[in-house]
């Protein structure tokens, strides 16, 4: 048994669920509690205590958002490491192993103990863990309301005077709507998880002129790659020549590839990101995913996988799921369904509703139209591309 | 346009099994009496575009908080 982690600043405080805990109390509770290598981590407190217990014992810990029968095996062995689930919205989530020491290297320049961070991400997501580690290392205050929608998060930000918020562009659009004319005392605004668009960056800069505004580019496997702080969407095109922050960038067939000195083991060398880039003057702009997946409210969704899900519903002869651009959530899914002959439309709609309920909210087709046929593209395939 | 928004909100809430509260121009979408989240609101914008043929957000996100502010983003012709 080792000493509790020294990198946690004792001034850290967590405000969650109407309770306030400081770092010593959380460390004590972690020592008292029973913690296996697999933890259902739905609260920030659960994440902090699981991290402390695992690092103290010198073993891995899997922080789960959803049940995973393989987690115990994946988290076996010795040596402190954290396993997080990817946010696969359809299909089984993947467990990715993270080296906390490597993640902590990225936390430089964030050592502000007066910061009051609002946690807008799920505690056991990669982005959520970044926020939690940042607050822990800085001795800052962390405000968490797990399971709350954007309105509840805004209420928490106002009530507790949040100064630092990291969220997806979808979160920030909802934030601007739900906060009305009441502003928390924001000093730092971070956007991540999906491409930040220029109108949103402009709105945030106008509303919070004194706050530091930046958007982050990260991937599940490579972690945080770079931050853009000039208030403009995309990133400077010359970074494709010069690299940024030690990370090399290049385009291969329109897709961004990265080479990072901080890459996880096995991810050294050039790695495809799956993100398509368009060049516009001095700027490189994000232009969607190479595999057709889209972000819906910050969650990565595969229209094709949702389509397969609908095709499995009895009474469905054919189905097409499309991603439609949406000003609030980036994209939203719609479906066109061709009923099998003799199928009762009402019964089919009920069956489709039941099928959609088995998907994550972001992956549910929000508008479902019944049709006689699905128009096909020139090659006789469904037109997979995102409609403009 | 207020009626159109109220009607489509009613459909979205019915799908969720939620009752429809009384709404007016000053009703706020998020953080008010409406039991909706941002995905529901995104759905509303989609069906309003399908119904009116107008996309007030084509050039990017525009600020609105209340039902009345959203209604004002659509051309009056769409209300008929």
């Amino acid at each position: 048994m080792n000493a509790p982690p020294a990198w946690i600043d004792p001034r850290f405080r967590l405000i969650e669920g109407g309770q306030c805990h400081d770092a010593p109390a959380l460390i004590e509770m972690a020592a008292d509690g029973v913690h296996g290598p697999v933890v259902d981590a739905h609260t920030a407190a659960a994440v902090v205590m699981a991290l402390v217990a695992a690092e103290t014992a010198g073993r891995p810990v899997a922080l789960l958002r959803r049940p995973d029968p393989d987690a115990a095996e994946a988290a076996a062995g010795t040596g402190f490491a954290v396993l997080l689930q990817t946010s696969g919205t359809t299909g089984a989530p993947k467990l990715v192993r993270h080296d906390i020491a490597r993640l902590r290297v990225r936390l430089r320049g964030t050592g502000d103990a007066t910061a009051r961070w609002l946690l807008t991400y799920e505690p056991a997501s990669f982005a959520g863990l970044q926020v939690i580690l940042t607050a822990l290392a800085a001795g800052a205050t962390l405000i968490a309301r797990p399971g709350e929608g954007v309105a509840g998060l805004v209420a928490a930000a106002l009530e507790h005077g949040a100064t630092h918020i990291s969220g997806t562009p979808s979160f920030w659009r909802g934030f601007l709507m739900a906060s009305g004319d009441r502003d928390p005392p924001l000093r730092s605004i971070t956007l991540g998880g999906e491409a930040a668009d220029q109108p949103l960056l402009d709105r945030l800069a106008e509303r919070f002129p004194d706050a530091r505004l930046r958007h982050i580019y990260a991937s599940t496997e490579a972690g945080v790659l770079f931050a853009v702080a000039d208030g403009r969407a995309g990133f400077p095109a010359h970074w494709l020549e010069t690299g940024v922050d030690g990370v090399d960038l290049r385009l291969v067939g329109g897709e961004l590839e990265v080479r990072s000195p901080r890459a996880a083991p096995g991810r050294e060398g050039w790695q495809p990101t799956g993100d398509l880039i368009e060049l516009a003057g001095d700027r490189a702009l994000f232009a969607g995913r190479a595999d057709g997946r889209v972000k819906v409210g910050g969650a990565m969704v595969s229209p094709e996988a949702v389509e397969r899900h609908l095709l499995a519903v009895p009474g469905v002869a054919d189905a097409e799921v499309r991603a439609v651009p949406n000003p609030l959530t980036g994209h939203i899914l719609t479906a066109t369904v061709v009923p099998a002959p003799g199928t009762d439309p009402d019964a089919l709609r009920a069956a489709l509703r039941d099928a959609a309920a088995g998907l994550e909210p972001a992956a549910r087709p929000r508008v479902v139209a019944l049709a006689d046929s699905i128009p096909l593209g020139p090659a006789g395939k469904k037109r997979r591309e995102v409609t403009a | 346009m207020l009626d159109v928004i109220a009607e489509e909100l009613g459909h979205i809430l019915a799908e969720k099994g939620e009752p429809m509260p009384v709404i007016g121009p000053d009703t706020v979408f998020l953080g008010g009496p409406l039991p909706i989240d941002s995905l529901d609101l995104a759905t509303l914008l989609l069906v309003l575009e399908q119904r009116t043929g107008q996309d007030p957000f084509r050039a990017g996100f525009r600020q609105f908080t209340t039902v009345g502010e959203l209604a004002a983003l659509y051309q009056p012709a769409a209300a008929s």
Side-chain angles (χ1 to χ4, degrees):
Chain A
M1 200 76 172
N2 305 315
W7 58 273
I8 295 179
D9 188 302
R11 293 169 293 179
F12 171 80
R13 290 194 313 150
L14 171 64
I15 300 172
E16 183 173 53
Q19 289 187 306
C20 181
H21 298 296
D22 59 15
L26 285 163
I27 290 171
E28 198 173 318
M29 284 192 284
D32 291 345
V34 179
H35 300 276
V38 179
V39 175
D40 287 323
H42 299 294
T43 64
V47 168
V48 172
M49 289 191 286
L51 288 175
V52 170
E55 185 165 0
T56 307
R59 56 161 172 74
V61 62
L63 302 175
L64 300 190
R65 299 186 258 176
R66 290 177 291 282
D68 182 340
D70 301 328
E73 195 180 331
T78 57
F80 179 45
V82 176
L83 288 86
L84 295 177
Q85 289 169 315
T86 56
S87 60
T89 52
T90 46
K94 247 186 341 191
L95 274 169
V96 177
R97 196 181 185 97
H98 297 276
D99 177 343
I100 286 288
R102 199 184 293 270
L103 295 181
R104 282 208 309 270
V105 169
R106 298 292 303 165
L107 303 180
R108 60 176 185 205
T110 50
D112 180 356
T114 67
R116 302 172 74 84
W117 282 91
L118 177 71
L119 182 63
T120 70
Y121 304 107
E122 284 186 272
S125 65
F126 181 75
L129 186 65
Q130 293 278 326
V131 172
I132 293 171
L133 291 177
T134 301
L136 280 169
T141 297
L142 182 66
I143 305 155
R145 291 229 177 142
E148 283 278 356
V150 64
L153 291 169
V154 169
L158 291 166
E159 182 183 343
H160 299 293
T163 60
H164 290 56
I165 304 183
S166 174
T168 62
S170 296
F171 164 81
W172 283 109
R173 291 183 200 104
F175 175 94
L176 286 171
M177 293 183 55
S179 57
D181 52 6
R182 303 154 300 163
D183 288 336
L186 285 183
R187 306 204 303 264
S188 172
I189 294 174
T190 308
L191 296 85
E194 56 189 338
D197 59 290
Q198 196 61 53
L200 176 62
L201 289 168
D202 291 346
R203 280 284 309 148
L204 288 167
E206 182 190 311
R207 178 99 171 248
F208 298 99
D210 299 327
R212 188 171 74 130
L213 175 63
R214 56 192 197 130
H215 53 102
I216 298 274
Y217 182 70
S219 75
T220 314
E221 288 83 6
V224 177
L225 289 161
F226 56 82
V228 182
D230 62 7
R232 295 174 62 200
F235 59 89
H238 69 80
W239 286 2
L240 291 166
E241 310 298 328
T242 61
V244 54
D245 208 8
V247 177
D248 294 322
L249 310 175
R250 71 176 181 191
L251 293 186
V252 175
E255 181 182 342
L256 182 64
E257 295 195 351
V258 298
R259 186 169 61 187
S260 170
R262 299 174 292 273
R267 298 276 175 177
E268 299 93 356
W270 287 105
Q271 302 291 325
T273 63
D275 287 317
L276 299 176
I277 296 288
E278 268 172 19
L279 294 173
D282 64 348
R283 219 59 190 171
L285 300 172
F286 293 101
R289 296 282 303 175
D291 62 3
R293 291 191 298 167
V294 294
K295 289 282 176 95
V296 176
M300 188 71 83
V301 171
S302 164
E304 212 170 338
V306 174
E307 191 171 292
R308 285 197 298 272
H309 191 72
L310 297 189
L311 285 168
V313 174
V316 172
D318 201 356
E320 179 185 45
V321 173
R322 281 188 173 230
V324 182
N326 189 276
L328 269 182
T329 52
H331 290 88
I332 196 163
L333 299 190
T334 67
T336 304
V337 171
V338 179
T343 306
D344 172 49
D346 290 337
L348 181 57
R349 281 195 175 277
L352 289 167
R353 250 198 306 276
D354 288 348
L359 298 166
E360 276 202 31
R364 292 175 196 154
R366 292 292 164 151
V367 174
V368 179
L370 300 187
D372 293 336
S373 66
I374 287 171
L376 298 180
K381 296 179 181 175
K382 288 172 188 166
R383 285 175 295 194
R384 183 67 57 198
E385 79 275 14
V386 172
T387 53
Chain B
M1 195 62 207
L2 281 177
D3 295 344
V4 177
I5 292 174
E7 185 187 328
E8 296 299 345
L9 266 178
H11 289 153
I12 290 167
L13 290 176
E15 283 279 317
K16 299 180 71 160
E18 297 274 1
M20 175 73 180
V22 177
I23 66 163
D26 296 330
T27 306
V28 299
F29 282 107
L30 297 176
L34 290 169
I36 62 170
D37 59 21
S38 50
L39 280 168
D40 298 320
L41 190 52
T43 306
L44 177 68
L45 299 183
L46 173 65
V47 294
L48 289 178
E49 183 187 340
Q50 290 178 343
R51 215 171 137 168
T52 65
Q54 297 179 45
D55 178 12
F57 303 93
R58 184 162 290 273
F61 182 67
R62 287 168 74 179
Q63 183 68 26
F64 66 96
T65 301
T66 65
V67 172
E69 286 164 9
L70 177 63
L73 297 179
Y74 294 84
Q75 298 298 318
S80 61

